[in-house]
Amino acid sequence: MSKRILIVTDDAGESQEIYYARHRFLEAGWTPVIAATQKKLLNTVIHDFAPGWNTYIEKPGYLIQADLALKDVKPAQYHAALLIGGRAPEFLRHDARLIKIVRTLHQQGRWLLAICHGVQILVAAGLVHGRELTCYCNVRNEAELAGARWLNRQSVVDREKKIITAQTWESHPEFYRDIFTHLS
């Protein structure tokens, strides 16, 4: 039986991060399971970096089916969880069910992976204090106010707490090298 990875996102999740994760885990023989607030067709977004803009631009992204609702997630069935970025974490971090899932996985010693704004969920779960991490630069202040030390790297591994973080979808090469080095 293959290992299962819980991929958490919702409407306004970053398309490239969701699809790359799903395909990369399938390629590695894992079973990716996409969870959202509802089991439904999700509206994702594409964040890109354009010349002359001080921050990213947002366009409508691909549609992707959530495999299950957060209320149906049983943390013991997953070897790790990936918290996708985009704007979805802005509201997912307020979902008590998700915070409980993330804390339970952490307590069980499972790996937690967060990219871009996904770190906002780790912050809400109280898991970043005293940790080194990375995330999208405009989430840095939030992470630091929660007691984290932000590093300007594409990917940061905290072996002790089993947390791997990345800045954006541009971090995929480093992030997934780190993920498959530590999840094997």
Side-chain angles (χ1 to χ4, degrees):
M1 185 167 156
S2 69
K3 294 181 180 179
R4 292 167 53 96
I5 177 87
L6 184 68
I7 299 174
V8 178
T9 192
D10 212 293
D11 286 329
E14 168 58 52
S15 291
Q16 292 198 64
E17 293 173 12
I18 300 165
Y19 272 107
Y20 189 87
R22 184 174 184 280
H23 295 153
R24 189 65 186 86
F25 280 104
L26 283 170
E27 177 185 58
W30 284 63
T31 301
V33 178
I34 297 173
T37 54
Q38 301 172 49
K39 182 180 178 180
K40 69 173 203 128
L41 194 60
L42 300 173
N43 299 286
T44 68
V45 296
I46 296 171
H47 289 147
D48 207 351
F49 304 97
W53 285 69
N54 290 327
T55 188
Y56 58 85
I57 59 172
E58 182 175 283
K59 303 177 235 179
Y62 301 103
L63 299 175
I64 189 165
Q65 181 65 47
D67 299 311
L68 79 161
L70 291 172
K71 68 180 179 63
D72 298 320
V73 171
K74 294 176 179 49
Q77 296 179 345
Y78 299 92
H79 293 84
L82 170 57
L83 309 172
I84 297 293
R87 284 186 298 108
E90 290 177 9
F91 64 89
L92 286 172
R93 64 184 165 173
H94 300 285
D95 189 301
R97 296 166 300 190
L98 176 57
I99 299 306
K100 183 177 180 181
I101 291 165
V102 169
R103 286 179 178 156
T104 299
L105 289 166
H106 179 69
Q107 291 165 354
Q108 292 174 349
R110 307 300 170 100
W111 281 93
L112 296 174
L113 320 167
I115 186 166
C116 197
H117 287 71
V119 167
Q120 291 176 311
I121 297 166
L122 294 178
V123 168
L127 299 178
V128 304
H129 185 81
R131 311 280 26 122
E132 290 184 340
L133 57 75
T134 197
C135 55
Y136 180 58
C137 62
N138 290 343
V139 182
R140 173 185 179 174
N141 191 48
E142 187 173 333
E144 288 178 336
L145 286 171
R149 181 170 171 247
W150 185 82
L151 301 176
N152 189 15
R153 296 189 202 149
Q154 293 300 318
S155 181
V156 174
V157 178
D158 183 326
R159 289 176 186 84
E160 179 188 341
K161 293 296 181 181
K162 292 190 169 182
I163 296 173
I164 303 174
T165 53
Q167 291 189 353
T168 70
W169 54 262
E170 293 177 316
S171 307
H172 281 158
E174 296 88 348
F175 187 46
Y176 283 92
R177 267 195 296 277
D178 285 342
I179 287 171
F180 288 107
T181 295
H182 295 286
L183 291 185
S184 300

